[in-house]
Amino acid sequence: MIPGLMQTTPLVTTAILNFVEAAHPKVEIVSRTVEGRIQRYDYAGLAARTRRLARALRELGVKSGDRVATLAWNTHRHLELFYAVPGLGGVLNTVNPRLFDDQILYVLEHAESTVLFYDRTFQPVVERLAPAMTTVKTFVLMSDAEAHDPGTVGALNYETLVAAQPEEAFDWPVLDENGGAFLCYTSGTTGDPKGVLYSHRAVVLHAMAAGLASAFGLTAFDVVMPCSSLYHATAWGLPFICPINGCKLVLPAEKMDGASLQELISAEGVTFSGGVPTIWTMYLAHLDQTGGSVGALKRIIIGGSAVPRAMAETFKRTHGVEVLQIWGMTETCPLGVVATPTAALAALGEDEADEVIWTRQGRLQFGIELKIVDEDGKEAPRDGATSGSLLVRGPWTIQRYYRKDEDAADADGWFDTGDIATLDHLGFMRITDRAKDVIKTGGEWISSIDLENFAVACPGVKIAAVFGVPHPKWEERPLLVIEPHEGQTLTKEEVLAFLEPHIVKWWMPDDVIFAPVPLTATGKIDKKVLRTTYRDRLTGG
Ligand code: ADP
């Protein structure tokens, strides 16, 4: 080859901030604060405050390569840290506050973070864990100056630090696009949390791709409210995707209950939102109870767990809102596939097209390759029926976990997601299970996701969880745990009768239990806990 003769401008997050300040300076950012206020400013304001924050971080001694941690909700201050820390060449370690104490401590210690920014909500956990932290030297409370409380850790105040810095220009350092920008840990449902270190290049390419019409399809007319957490895989990249596309940004802080979502969606004219299914279950229940309207809301991206078909259908038929299912993981920045229509799908007719969109995790997107392999690693046919292990690769897929000696991807770059899936000839992917959740019964497999999807459509059901437990004859059999909507009562007979027309006989759960369904730190059904709790249900042990 001969060298190309074009510029090699690095793909870094500061470029997004500079772009949005020049292109969309007056587009609004609206944030709830933990104090309960609504904070309004714009992208020019974000850029100005981020520069001051960057100066303050330098004064605190943050250098290129240093890790700075947050325990924080979806607010404008957290957003400012998203740009200031990586902009300085540092790494933002967004810690999931829903983890257990020892996991939070593990993450902070493993990342060797030196500064910890936290919201008032997390003051108790910070004070509890501070004596055991060996690397964090500086604590900063992200509150209004008047509401400051240094607590037992002698915290500095975020607003006081920013206010002390001048308004003038700031020379962002020139960065290597392959340098680390964000350090996100998986939730650690099995073993210790694992660190995934996103490079600037991965974050920028991911954000450029996610905005495309084939994916989120955002324009400068959109008002976007991320209800996926900033601490979980960078809220699916929305803090970068929105400025690239000139979208107004609405940040809900920790208020993700139905009534609070409804309030912001209608008051701010939100057109596009995203979050895990449990959030939208609460939102739909609220609309149902109050007869409220969705306002300007047009599209919602839902992922993290399988989207119940009934949820997508209700959004479309009752509220005129299009649901785009997405699949991804911390290890893929996180976007893998998005379920958007194509001409080939539309040609099948609206009902058929809806059926595909509502029951698939999404379709292939440029930048992330997918393949399905059998137990011997041989590629499975793309027939929509043959399931196998889902492997992915591409410029925003993990190569190696943080501080591990071995690659997580194989020599060709393929990373095994731990999911079982099918792929079809139109490029649509369907997850049938996580490999560890597959129910093996009499030599056959039952998809817990499919069973849950049918069960959650039963009137009165809020959450349905299906998992396998040991059985003396069949190795494993499925159990169904149901958490009903508030004030609703259901019987086992009703639920089984509802399932009957949808499933083959041997898929029928051996028992139905009515109980609260435990969720993980990232809002997924915690099957590990369920399997342990009901381990002896069918063996009588
Ligand atoms: P955690 O830390 O909880 O594992 P991740 O976001 O990394 O958080 O979880 C990724 C996993 O979530 C995927 O491997 C897959 O099993 C599941 N997942 C994500 N999106 C979907 C979806 N749309 N349908 C089914 N499962 C999904």
Side-chain angles (χ1 to χ4, degrees):
M1 284 185 91
I2 62 166
L5 293 174
M6 309 308 279
Q7 301 185 10
T8 53
T9 317
L11 300 172
V12 295
T13 53
T14 331
I16 300 176
L17 191 63
N18 290 338
F19 162 77
V20 79
E21 188 179 20
H24 306 287
K26 295 284 166 231
V27 172
E28 244 192 323
I29 299 171
V30 181
S31 174
R32 273 193 208 278
T33 67
V34 174
E35 291 89 0
R37 281 187 302 111
I38 295 278
Q39 169 78 34
R40 283 175 193 281
Y41 62 156
D42 53 25
Y43 282 115
L46 170 69
R49 275 176 52 97
T50 301
R51 286 191 282 269
R52 295 166 84 168
L53 176 60
R55 285 179 192 282
L57 285 163
R58 270 216 179 130
E59 269 187 24
L60 291 176
V62 174
K63 304 179 304 303
S64 182
D66 285 356
R67 273 79 69 208
V68 171
T70 54
L71 276 169
W73 302 113
N74 289 12
T75 69
H76 66 294
R77 292 184 183 120
H78 206 178
L79 180 69
E80 288 159 9
L81 284 158
F82 263 55
Y83 282 98
V85 173
L88 286 173
V91 172
L92 194 71
N93 171 213
T94 48
V95 185
N96 183 340
R98 296 195 197 277
L99 294 173
F100 297 119
D101 274 16
D102 55 349
Q103 292 175 316
I104 292 178
L105 184 63
Y106 174 87
V107 168
L108 290 169
E109 292 287 301
H110 189 262
E112 298 172 304
S113 287
T114 53
V115 184
L116 173 58
F117 284 81
Y118 61 97
D119 277 330
R120 165 69 55 111
T121 330
F122 308 117
Q123 191 164 359
V125 62
V126 169
E127 295 191 351
R128 230 174 19 246
L129 297 180
M133 294 179 197
T134 62
T135 61
V136 175
K137 298 290 173 253
T138 310
F139 295 85
V140 183
L141 179 68
M142 297 160 76
S143 77
D144 292 345
E146 312 78 67
H148 187 62
D149 173 6
T152 57
V153 295
L156 303 171
N157 178 263
Y158 186 98
E159 289 302 326
T160 310
L161 286 176
V162 170
Q165 298 299 326
E167 276 272 11
E168 56 206 58
F170 181 74
D171 268 341
W172 292 105
V174 176
L175 302 174
D176 175 355
E177 64 176 17
N178 288 308
F182 289 86
L183 183 51
C184 304
Y185 282 74
T186 61
S187 65
T189 31
T190 47
D192 284 329
K194 289 188 290 229
V196 186
L197 182 54
Y198 298 172
S199 62
H200 280 267
R201 177 183 146 86
V203 169
V204 173
L205 287 174
H206 172 272
M208 289 170 78
L212 295 174
S214 64
F216 298 175
L218 291 172
T219 74
F221 294 89
D222 277 306
V223 179
V224 179
M225 180 163 78
C227 296
S228 43
S229 305
L230 288 177
Y231 58 72
H232 187 207
T234 71
W236 304 350
L238 287 168
F240 309 107
I241 303 164
C242 290
I244 287 176
N245 292 286
C247 310
K248 171 176 166 181
L249 193 53
V250 181
L251 297 166
E254 80 283 23
K255 293 260 185 322
M256 311 265 190
D257 60 285
S260 305
L261 292 183
Q262 165 70 354
E263 206 179 296
L264 271 189
I265 288 172
S266 47
E268 299 302 328
V270 171
T271 62
F272 185 102
S273 190
V276 294
T278 38
I279 287 174
W280 303 110
T281 303
M282 292 191 288
Y283 177 63
L284 280 177
H286 177 78
L287 292 182
D288 201 35
Q289 282 153 17
T290 59
S293 124
V294 295
L297 192 62
K298 293 282 171 304
R299 280 170 308 140
I300 312 183
I301 43 169
I302 311 184
S305 316
V307 178
R309 187 193 176 287
M311 175 180 281
E313 187 169 3
T314 307
F315 264 120
K316 176 166 176 179
R317 301 244 192 275
T318 313
H319 302 289
V321 174
E322 194 186 347
V323 167
L324 311 177
Q325 179 156 195
I326 65 172
W327 167 91
M329 56 199 317
T330 306
E331 288 87 339
T332 60
C333 258
L335 200 61
V337 299
V338 190
T340 46
T342 59
L345 208 58
L348 302 173
E350 190 177 349
D351 287 350
E352 185 77 6
D354 278 347
E355 197 55 38
V356 172
I357 294 286
W358 293 344
T359 57
R360 307 292 190 276
Q361 267 60 30
R363 68 174 162 104
L364 289 167
Q365 301 289 324
F366 176 71
I368 182 146
E369 289 177 82
L370 263 50
K371 77 171 173 181
I372 310 284
V373 298
D374 65 16
E375 277 166 16
D376 303 323
K378 205 167 126 281
E379 188 161 355
R382 301 192 169 205
D383 58 8
T386 314
S387 62
S389 299
L390 174 66
L391 271 50
V392 295
R393 72 172 174 190
W396 55 87
T397 298
I398 188 168
Q399 180 69 31
R400 180 181 291 206
Y401 290 103
Y402 186 55
R403 293 181 60 190
K404 295 276 179 205
D405 297 330
E406 279 172 25
D407 281 350
D410 71 16
D412 296 322
W414 290 105
F415 170 73
D416 188 340
T417 62
D419 286 327
I420 306 293
T422 65
L423 254 182
D424 68 22
H425 68 287
L426 294 176
F428 281 84
M429 185 270 275
R430 195 170 79 88
I431 302 269
T432 56
D433 245 319
R434 266 194 159 180
K436 57 183 190 296
D437 294 336
V438 167
I439 303 163
K440 298 186 181 104
T441 186
E444 302 283 348
W445 286 8
I446 295 177
S447 159
S448 67
I449 291 187
D450 284 353
L451 257 180
E452 284 162 4
N453 225 324
F454 291 125
V456 84
C458 178
V461 174
K462 185 171 162 200
I463 312 178
V466 175
F467 53 98
V469 290
H471 185 278
K473 180 163 174 208
W474 300 110
E475 186 183 353
E476 272 185 348
R477 287 295 302 157
L479 288 185
L480 169 60
V481 172
I482 283 188
E483 181 174 327
H485 277 292
E486 229 159 273
Q488 307 262 0
T489 43
L490 285 134
T491 64
K492 175 176 167 180
E493 290 68 34
E494 277 165 353
V495 175
L496 294 181
F498 181 87
L499 287 178
E500 208 185 327
H502 297 291
I503 59 176
V504 288
K505 238 188 172 142
W506 59 274
W507 276 40
M508 198 54 93
D510 279 32
D511 204 355
V512 184
I513 300 148
F514 297 92
V517 172
L519 299 179
T520 68
T522 50
K524 298 178 214 290
I525 294 170
D526 197 333
K527 301 214 174 164
K528 204 171 132 218
V529 167
L530 287 170
R531 277 192 289 263
T532 313
T533 310
Y534 298 105
R535 192 178 40 215
D536 303 328
R537 189 84 176 188
L538 303 179
T539 48

